[in-house]
Amino acid sequence: FSTKDLGVEECLISKERRLRVTHHIEKLPERDKKLITLRYFHDKTLRDIVKNELQVDGSWVTRLHSAALSSLRDKLERDCLF
């Protein structure tokens, strides 16, 4: 492989990863999906999310965020094993 080919291969792998992540985000419960989407695709802080989007306490959104990431991570790990 040339360096140029390796760049194309890395680009395709990156695109595939993004598609897998997006697919699994869509399968999350609505609140988790909203939290992850706002945080990572719309660059909102957890504070902004609490204040403007979710009607939960600030410490609770941190727990929700951790649980949503854990659930997403588990789904992605299972996806890669099969």
Side-chain angles (χ1 to χ4, degrees):
F1 289 107
S2 73
T3 310
K4 185 177 181 180
D5 290 337
L6 188 58
V8 170
E9 184 178 346
E10 288 174 356
C11 181
L12 290 172
I13 290 169
S14 178
K15 185 174 183 176
E16 175 65 26
R17 285 182 182 150
R18 282 193 308 273
L19 288 172
R20 282 184 179 186
V21 169
T22 301
H23 170 76
H24 287 296
I25 288 171
E26 289 298 320
K27 294 169 88 176
L28 290 172
E30 193 60 37
R31 182 174 57 186
D32 293 351
K33 180 173 35 175
K34 185 175 186 177
L35 180 58
I36 295 296
T37 301
L38 289 170
R39 177 69 187 100
Y40 296 102
F41 293 92
H42 297 282
D43 296 323
K44 301 282 185 178
T45 65
L46 292 179
R47 182 178 294 193
D48 289 338
I49 293 168
V50 167
K51 191 187 278 187
N52 302 316
E53 304 293 339
L54 299 177
Q55 312 310 328
V56 297
D57 182 76
S59 63
W60 186 240
V61 80
T62 302
R63 291 182 197 143
L64 292 173
H65 178 252
S66 293
L69 284 180
S70 180
S71 177
L72 182 59
R73 188 178 303 112
D74 289 346
K75 290 177 185 311
L76 289 166
E77 286 174 354
R78 281 194 304 267
D79 185 42
C80 289
L81 294 176
F82 298 104

